[in-house]
Amino acid sequence: MLRRANRRVACLAALIVTVVLMATVPASADDGLRIEGDTTYDIVPAQGRTTVSSTITVTNELTDRVVGGALRRSFFNGLTVGASAGARNFSATSAGASLSVTTSPVGDAIQQVDITFPSLFSGQRRTIILRYEIVGDAPRSEGLNRANPAYVSFVALAIGDDTLASVHVNVPRGFEVETVGSEIDDRPNAGGGTTLSATGVETSDGWGVVVSARNDDALQSIDADAGTRDVIVRAWPNDVEWQRFVVGGVDEGMPVLEELIGQPWPIKSQLQITEATSSYLRGYAGWFSPLDNTIEVGEDLDYDTLLHELSHAWFNRGMFTERWINEGFAEEYAAQALKRLGKPADDVALDANSRFAVRLTDWGNPQVATGESAGREAYGYHTAAWLMRQLTDEIGLANMAKVINAVTNDTPAYGSIPNEFGDIDTGDHRLLDLVENLGASKKASDLFEKYVAREDDSALYDARAAARANYATLVERGGSWTPPVFVRKELGGWHFASAVIRMSEARTVLEKRDQIAALATEAGAAIPVSLESEYEKADGDLSKVIDTADRQLGAATTLAATSERYEGSRSITEKVGLLFAHPSRRLDEARVAFADDDTARATELSLAVQHEIDNADSVGLRRIAFAVGAVVLLLAAALVIRSVRRRRRRPSADDASPPPPTPTAPPSPWTPLSP
């Protein structure tokens, strides 16, 4: 991820524009001097310089004329060419003789070189060898010239008329080279390095290229004191000051970023922080590459840039799919960390009237930040940072940490279970949902619609507002029931039309749920859990859930009616009819079956109880009649038996016999003694 340009980088970007547009100083103010040039740049990093040799062939193409009887001869005795600013030790020779060379600045990027030679008359040709060197300046010097065993940069210019100039740059073995500016080809050379070449150069509109070559094997590496975090800082051999600055910044800044963001350091392998000004050439202060976990920052001792790039360990395309979000968060948390550390931070401002204004969703990928693209890049960075500051100020760092945690754990915007739907990409739509749902932001929607979304997305935002209001009602209506999976997926995907249709079906289920609950309460039964589970897991239309609700509602209706009838008052005949029938036991079984969602069994048992109650009166009457009849029969039988017995036992007067005598005790053989 790139870090926006600071003031120095912006100046360098302007310098590159100057190089490209003004690099070739006109060879002569007069017409008629043909100039052919072949310039070679040899990089000598061990000596901290680049040597330059130009072979310049000049031809006087003017024709002598006779004016007033006299011959008027035309000649040239000097040549003006361009060289990069900072070049020195100029010398020029022609035919073994030294020529006079003077220089003067033309701007921050180039200087004018004036070469004086003996008069060159019509048709004459002269070959001039111009030599000079570009010495690498110390780190943090103005300009682009650098040269050390690990890094070399300078401006290469062409000398010659249109299509008559060629340039060659010899880069030694071990150096990787990149260029900014005019086109130039590269190919391997015999020494194992690279040669950049451009022939037939179009110089009429200016030609120049910034060469940046690096040899990372020559960097000086040191372990940063970052606790358990594996960080290596790699600096130029001549810049110990930068190395110490970065090591201290890592040790101090990493723990603060972890605390503010609310997430541990995310890189499990080694992080390398490298000193390089390659980013400067494109108008940036630094960049982070998540592919190989490397940070490159320029030579400036810029705490803000270092923290910004460290923040990109979290905020990169692995977390957010849109560049503006990652850059906005990195900028905001760098500023928050500076504040926590008591260091000054740049102000965050919005240039609402900028002619480079662009909706952030269309900000696009990084470009070489020069000219128009530099203005567009600056607007994008500033607006992204400003918008993030508005959100953070509103909802607070603690709530923003909740948002980041939801993104890290792939928690749905409408839900609370991490990774419920698997990996989820997070762009501006999902970020807006999370900021509102978890952060309770009231400003986010307006900010996103005004600065992020395209102008023709207003209808989409209106549909979103209506769908969210619908969803809020559904959540309140559902109580402890989580809205269906499909509804939450569609809302999170901003597919509002389908979400609204399913929410209508969901409300139908909830209405039936409430009816089921009321009836189950009347029946003294527990509510089946299956309906809630089916409702929450529904990942499509809810027709099957509605069928389940209808099935349970039918069983609940029957069960409640049965329970009501069972609890009602009964006549004596009904009570007699229900003796030995045990309807309460069947009703309890029906309640258990209903709670287990065995609605068929619950209904069967309920109807059986109702049948028993319906038949209780007739059964009771039959039982009472049977009982009365049985009693009558028993009484009649008893009377018959009694009458029979009485006839048997009653004697007549003739048949009477005297009663038997009353027995007396026999006399005792013992006679008691008198006292």
Side-chain angles (χ1 to χ4, degrees):
M1 301 296 114
L2 296 170
R3 169 68 163 90
R4 60 166 178 76
N6 55 25
R7 292 185 182 87
R8 168 176 159 75
V9 177
C11 292
L12 291 178
L15 184 149
I16 294 171
V17 174
T18 303
V19 168
V20 174
L21 298 180
M22 301 176 56
T24 306
V25 176
S28 174
D30 301 321
D31 293 330
L33 184 65
R34 174 186 173 93
I35 305 171
E36 301 174 71
D38 186 11
T39 304
T40 299
Y41 294 80
D42 291 302
I43 297 175
V44 191
Q47 298 178 11
R49 62 193 177 97
T50 297
T51 62
V52 186
S53 175
S54 293
T55 299
I56 307 169
T57 300
V58 291
T59 303
N60 186 343
E61 295 184 331
L62 296 177
T63 301
D64 294 340
R65 293 180 296 165
V66 176
V67 180
L71 179 64
R72 182 173 182 176
R73 304 185 68 185
S74 299
F75 65 90
F76 295 95
N77 60 5
L79 173 69
T80 298
V81 299
S84 62
R88 64 190 74 174
N89 299 329
F90 288 90
S91 66
T93 60
S94 178
S98 296
L99 303 179
S100 173
V101 181
T102 59
T103 62
S104 57
V106 175
D108 293 334
I110 60 176
Q111 58 183 316
Q112 178 175 303
V113 181
D114 295 308
I115 305 171
T116 302
F117 48 80
S119 297
L120 186 69
F121 291 97
S122 176
Q124 291 183 340
R125 174 180 296 182
R126 178 180 292 276
T127 298
I128 301 168
I129 307 298
L130 174 67
R131 292 186 175 89
Y132 59 93
E133 61 184 15
I134 303 173
V135 178
D137 295 325
R140 289 168 290 286
S141 299
E142 295 296 329
L144 292 171
N145 298 334
R146 299 290 183 271
N148 60 64
Y151 184 77
V152 176
S153 65
F154 59 90
V155 178
L157 304 176
I159 295 176
D161 289 339
D162 218 13
T163 74
L164 299 180
S166 61
V167 176
H168 311 281
V169 180
N170 294 318
V171 182
R173 179 197 298 269
F175 279 80
E176 296 180 1
V177 64
E178 57 182 329
T179 62
V180 177
S182 301
E183 293 185 5
I184 191 167
D185 298 327
D186 63 271
R187 57 180 173 79
N189 59 33
T194 302
T195 295
L196 308 175
S197 295
T199 58
V201 170
E202 301 280 349
T203 59
S204 58
D205 293 330
W207 191 96
V209 61
V210 179
V211 177
S212 174
R214 56 191 291 174
N215 177 15
D216 288 353
D217 290 340
L219 292 168
Q220 299 292 320
S221 298
I222 186 173
D223 291 335
D225 183 10
T228 59
R229 312 168 196 88
D230 187 3
V231 182
I232 297 293
V233 177
R234 304 191 301 169
W236 296 339
N238 64 339
D239 200 358
V240 175
E241 182 182 11
W242 181 91
Q243 189 176 58
R244 290 174 178 170
F245 169 80
V246 173
V247 169
V250 167
D251 180 48
E252 190 176 38
M254 271 188 176
V256 174
L257 288 173
E258 287 180 323
E259 179 184 352
L260 292 171
I261 296 171
Q263 297 291 319
W265 177 246
I267 297 178
K268 306 305 180 184
S269 57
Q270 186 180 83
L271 172 70
Q272 294 186 354
I273 304 177
T274 301
E275 181 177 15
T277 59
S278 302
S279 57
Y280 286 177
L281 306 183
R282 287 169 169 76
Y284 301 97
W287 59 52
F288 169 78
S289 171
L291 297 178
D292 53 6
N293 295 325
T294 59
I295 287 175
E296 292 187 9
V297 291
E299 61 197 297
D300 291 340
L301 308 181
D302 185 352
Y303 216 142
D304 194 1
T305 295
L306 177 60
L307 291 174
H308 178 104
E309 298 306 334
L310 287 173
S311 296
H312 275 308
W314 289 273
F315 305 118
N316 55 67
R317 289 194 181 274
M319 179 172 281
F320 296 105
T321 59
E322 295 186 45
R323 180 188 174 206
W324 77 266
I325 302 176
N326 291 312
E327 295 300 344
F329 269 125
E331 192 74 354
E332 172 63 9
Y333 278 97
Q336 293 288 348
L338 288 172
K339 180 180 178 180
R340 182 70 60 86
L341 292 168
K343 301 179 184 295
D346 293 340
D347 293 333
V348 179
L350 173 68
D351 185 3
N353 299 318
S354 171
R355 69 184 183 90
F356 301 107
V358 61
R359 295 302 180 102
L360 289 176
T361 194
D362 292 326
W363 185 27
N365 294 322
Q367 302 176 359
V368 176
T370 58
E372 291 286 324
S373 64
R376 182 185 177 101
E377 284 293 275
Y379 175 84
Y381 273 108
H382 294 156
T383 305
W386 176 84
L387 194 152
M388 288 303 178
R389 175 62 54 83
Q390 304 308 303
L391 295 178
T392 304
D393 284 349
E394 180 195 8
I395 71 174
L397 288 170
N399 279 335
M400 191 61 80
K402 293 179 182 178
V403 171
I404 295 171
N405 186 66
V407 176
T408 302
N409 294 323
D410 290 307
T411 304
Y414 296 89
S416 59
I417 302 174
N419 206 39
E420 182 182 8
F421 304 150
D423 295 341
I424 307 175
D425 290 337
T426 302
D428 61 293
H429 289 174
R430 174 165 152 77
L431 177 61
L432 173 57
D433 289 340
L434 290 172
V435 169
E436 289 188 332
N437 294 348
L438 297 180
S441 172
K442 304 300 182 185
K443 298 179 179 179
S445 183
D446 289 340
L447 289 171
F448 275 59
E449 187 173 359
K450 186 173 183 179
Y451 298 104
V452 178
R454 299 181 179 94
E455 293 183 10
D456 56 2
D457 281 342
S458 58
L460 179 64
Y461 274 72
D462 291 342
R464 175 180 182 270
R468 282 175 59 83
N470 195 337
Y471 181 77
T473 302
L474 182 66
V475 170
E476 182 179 3
R477 184 80 170 79
S480 63
W481 285 27
T482 302
V485 164
F486 187 82
V487 170
R488 294 186 288 114
K489 278 185 177 179
E490 294 298 272
L491 279 178
W494 284 42
H495 305 138
F496 303 122
S498 57
V500 168
I501 292 173
R502 300 308 169 218
M503 284 192 282
S504 176
E505 295 175 346
R507 285 193 297 273
T508 298
V509 174
L510 294 177
E511 290 171 1
K512 294 179 182 295
R513 174 204 66 176
D514 293 345
Q515 294 174 23
I516 293 168
L519 291 168
T521 300
E522 292 177 16
I527 303 171
V529 298
S530 57
L531 182 61
E532 179 180 0
S533 177
E534 287 185 31
Y535 172 85
E536 293 180 343
K537 294 179 180 179
D539 197 4
D541 69 80
L542 276 71
S543 57
K544 291 184 178 180
V545 185
I546 293 174
D547 289 343
T548 298
D550 286 336
R551 176 172 55 80
Q552 293 184 1
L553 182 58
T557 301
T558 303
L559 183 61
T562 302
S563 179
E564 181 180 11
R565 293 194 60 189
Y566 175 77
E567 297 296 337
S569 61
R570 296 186 180 88
S571 65
I572 187 66
T573 55
E574 289 176 324
K575 292 179 180 180
V576 171
L578 292 176
L579 290 174
F580 314 112
H582 305 296
S584 61
R585 185 165 56 194
R586 286 191 180 183
L587 185 55
D588 287 341
E589 291 176 0
R591 290 168 177 149
V592 171
F594 178 77
D596 292 339
D597 198 23
D598 189 351
T599 52
R601 178 63 175 163
T603 301
E604 178 186 0
L605 291 168
S606 296
L607 293 176
V609 172
Q610 288 191 35
H611 180 73
E612 290 178 339
I613 295 173
D614 289 341
N615 294 329
D617 188 63
S618 59
V619 171
L621 287 172
R622 288 197 299 272
R623 286 179 176 176
I624 292 172
F626 178 80
V628 170
V631 170
V632 170
L633 288 175
L634 288 174
L635 290 175
L639 290 172
V640 170
I641 293 171
R642 182 175 181 183
S643 63
V644 170
R645 286 180 176 174
R646 290 185 66 180
R647 284 196 298 267
R648 273 181 195 171
R649 293 180 179 177
R650 182 177 301 162
S652 64
D654 295 334
D655 294 333
S657 58
T662 300
T664 58
S668 175
W670 302 95
T671 302
L673 296 179
S674 59

